[in-house]
Each structure stands twice: as C-alpha cells, then as structure tokens.
Amino acid sequence: MTNTSQTPETTQTPETTMRAVRFESFGGPSVLTVAEAPIPEAQPGRVTVDVEYAGVNFAEVMFRRGQFPVDLPHFPGLEAVGRVRAVGAGVTGFAPGDRVAALTLGGGGNAEVVEVGAEHTVRLDGELAELDGALAAGALCNVTTALGLLTSAGHLAEGETVVVLAAAGGVGTAAAQLARSLGATTVIGVTSTPAKAEYARGFGYDSVVSYEEIEREVAERTGGVGADLVLDSVGGAFRSSVTALLAAFGRHVIFGNAAAEDVTFEGNHPWYTNSSLVGYNLGGVAGRAPALLRAHLERALTEVAKGGVRVDVKTLPLKDVVHAHELLETRASTGKYVLDVRA
Ligand SMILES: NC(=O)c1ccc[n+]([C@@H]2O[C@H](COP(=O)([O-])OP(=O)(O)OC[C@H]3O[C@@H](n4cnc5c(N)ncnc54)[C@H](OP(=O)(O)O)[C@@H]3O)[C@@H](O)[C@H]2O)c1
C-alpha cells in the first residue's frame, strides 16, 4: 500500500491506495495488471479485509475473456483470507483484527484490501482457528461449490455413482472427496490428459479416465445401469453426450462452461431420457438462498480444517496472477492456485 503523505514523519496520513489486480478490457491473461487502486471503505452491512491470501478461480478466466457479463474496469477475485480492517455500520460479530475468510462474490479479492458483505465472511476462530490461510483461501469457492453441487443441486444419495468432469481441478478434487463422504459408492473422474488423471487419483476416485473412455468406463463399473450424477463444468460438444452416461432418473448438474461453447437441449429432453438437467450458480445461491450458502460455506471450511477434504494449494505472489490464469485457461492446471497478496 502507498502512503501518500508529504508531511514530516511524526504525522501519519492514512493509506489511501493499495495494489489490486484489474483489467480494463476483455482478452487474454495479459489484460491483467497489478495496479494502484483506492482502498475501499466499509459500507453499511459490510466489512473491509486486509487480504493475505486470495484464490484464483476459473470463473475469473471467464470474466476476463468476456464470457460472463462484468462491468469494466473489473477487479477480479472471488475469495480472500486476511484480517478485518474496518467494520461498516450495522455489522455485529466482527472487530478490526479478526482473522476471517470471505467469499468476495462481487470481485475484488485479488487485492490488498477488499470490501465484502458480512454475511459472506466467516471468522477463523474456534474449530477454524488453526486453519492455514492459504488453505482457507483455496477452499472458499471450490469446496462450498462442491458441497452445493452434490447436495442441493445433485441430491446425492447413499450408494450412488458420481462422475466428475475436470476431475483434477479445484472443484473436481473437492467434489470427489465430498461425494465419497456423502455416501457415493463409486466416484469416477474424467480428465484431458494421463498426467492429470494420475494426479486426480490421489483424491480418492475409483478410476479416472479420458473423455473418450468415460462412456465405456461408466457402463463397465455400473453393469450398464449408468451414473446417478454427472458434475459438468466443461460444456462444449461433450455436454450433449452426458445423457448417455446417466442411469434412469440420473441428474446432469451443469455449473460451468470451460469450453466456452454451449449446446441446446429441447424441452422434451428430460422426458425422453428420464433424466434431469439441474444448475448450480454460487452467486445465484448467495442472492436467493443466502442462509444455505452460509451453511455450505461454514461446513466447507470446517471439513477442510478437520482434514476431511484435502485442498492441494499452490501459492504464488500477487504479481503472478497472469501465470495462474494462463495455467487455468490452457488446461495446464491441477488443484488450486492461491495468491500471496503480501508477497
Ligand atoms: N457455477 C458456479 O457457481 C461455479 C463455482 C465454482 C466453479 N465453477 C466452475 O467449475 C469449474 C471448475 O472451476 P475451478 O476453478 O476449480 O477450475 P479447474 O477445474 O481447476 O480448471 C478448469 C478445468 O476445466 C477443464 N476444461 C475442460 N474444457 C476446457 C477448456 N476448453 N478450456 C479450459 N479448461 C477446460 C480442464 O480440465 P481437463 O483438462 O481435465 O478437462 C481445466 O483444468 C469451472 O468451469 C468453473 O467455472 C462454477
């Protein structure tokens, strides 16, 4: 942060600017810059956080390339961990200095200070007191999403079979572990390369195969019955073939479009195929079911704190945000990338 004071050392002028990641036009990773920006003030019902760690998500890749409507300039970053800097009017339960983890769903988390709704901010105390900051930042979006996908969207039941596309990624690795702990009998992952498949196997999948192999793998593992749940963040042409993986009354959970290419389903599709199309959108849950989102957020952090979900975090300095985006966008990433905002 920059101290703009021109006065003698005895008078301390409050800091007014900070370093923040931003982009002013849509495009490739190079549109991202780390630049000075005004430090936000805590508005009513909200807090500001001095950020220590901030996660990088595929959603931010989509925002950056203009695949999802965001205003420009945009300050990316959907999750942050640090200490409360200031508390807005009407906020109770938080004080400056509290260690917190926050879903910064309006963006701005990839910065030295972020302003966030108190309802999306969790104090890292009690059973969360020992939770590592980078780990918490890596868990906020992905583990909360994985929980929502499997429970509220997917209605996973004991003994079911789950297929996870993009199995080696942030959400995928969390979903595999949670599916198992929520009672799935068979969890099958799908990745684009053998190296990613090998990596993903460390997260408890029964098997991890390629997109070309998945139909045969599901048939073999389920005796031709099909999978109960397919978690699909990939989109593209593959989305049309997901129905072929499903058991009768199977659920195709759609929560992303990494391929940046959509497909069309007819209204009669669920009828003809005895299947459900169901969606999950973290921002939408925040708006329409905030108590549910809060419950999932707290449960996600607790699972990670007690070791029930392993998050494989790779920590990079803030300036390497471009590299993190490149890795995600080129399908070269595994696990989760977290920015150390102080580095
Ligand atoms: N709806 C929500 O609320 C919500 C919340 C969080 C995340 N998401 C979505 O969930 C997905 C996972 O997020 P994440 O941050 O954990 O990312 P991630 O899974 O770590 O990375 C994205 C993965 O998508 C796969 N992919 C398939 N086609 C791709 C393409 N054409 N270009 C790039 N990647 C492609 C790649 O895995 P393979 O190479 O193995 O296929 C890639 O590693 C993302 O699509 C994200 O948008 C949605």
Side-chain angles (χ1 to χ4, degrees), residues 44-47 91 94 102-104 115-122 294:
R46 300 171 69 83
V47 299
V91 173
F94 293 98
L103 278 175
T104 55
E115 198 229 7
V116 58
E119 73 277 19
H120 299 141
T121 305
V122 175
R294 175 84 193 187

Side-chain angles (χ1 to χ4, degrees), residues 122-215:
V122 175
R123 270 203 324 274
L124 296 180
D125 59 8
E127 60 185 346
L128 301 179
E130 301 303 317
L131 181 57
D132 176 75
L135 200 53
L140 280 156
C141 272
N142 289 350
V143 185
T144 303
T145 296
L147 204 47
L149 293 171
L150 292 163
T151 59
S152 303
H155 297 287
L156 175 64
E158 292 257 346
E160 290 196 320
T161 296
V162 179
V163 172
V164 181
L165 309 184
V171 175
T173 52
Q177 299 169 79
L178 284 167
R180 185 77 70 198
S181 65
L182 290 166
T185 305
T186 307
V187 186
I188 308 171
V190 187
T191 63
S192 60
T193 68
K196 283 174 138 183
E198 187 54 34
Y199 170 85
R201 287 187 191 103
F203 293 86
Y205 290 98
D206 292 287
S207 61
V208 185
V209 298
S210 68
Y211 290 88
E212 294 74 27
E213 294 166 325
I214 185 61
E215 194 168 337

Side-chain angles (χ1 to χ4, degrees), residues 11-56:
T11 331
Q12 282 258 312
T13 306
E15 296 157 327
T16 56
T17 65
M18 61 170 181
R19 288 184 307 148
V21 178
R22 62 183 272 158
F23 56 85
E24 294 182 6
S25 60
F26 299 118
S30 63
V31 300
L32 296 166
T33 57
V34 179
E36 291 291 315
I39 292 177
E41 304 239 320
Q43 299 302 313
R46 300 171 69 83
V47 299
T48 50
V49 176
D50 285 320
V51 180
E52 294 166 6
Y53 295 101
V56 182

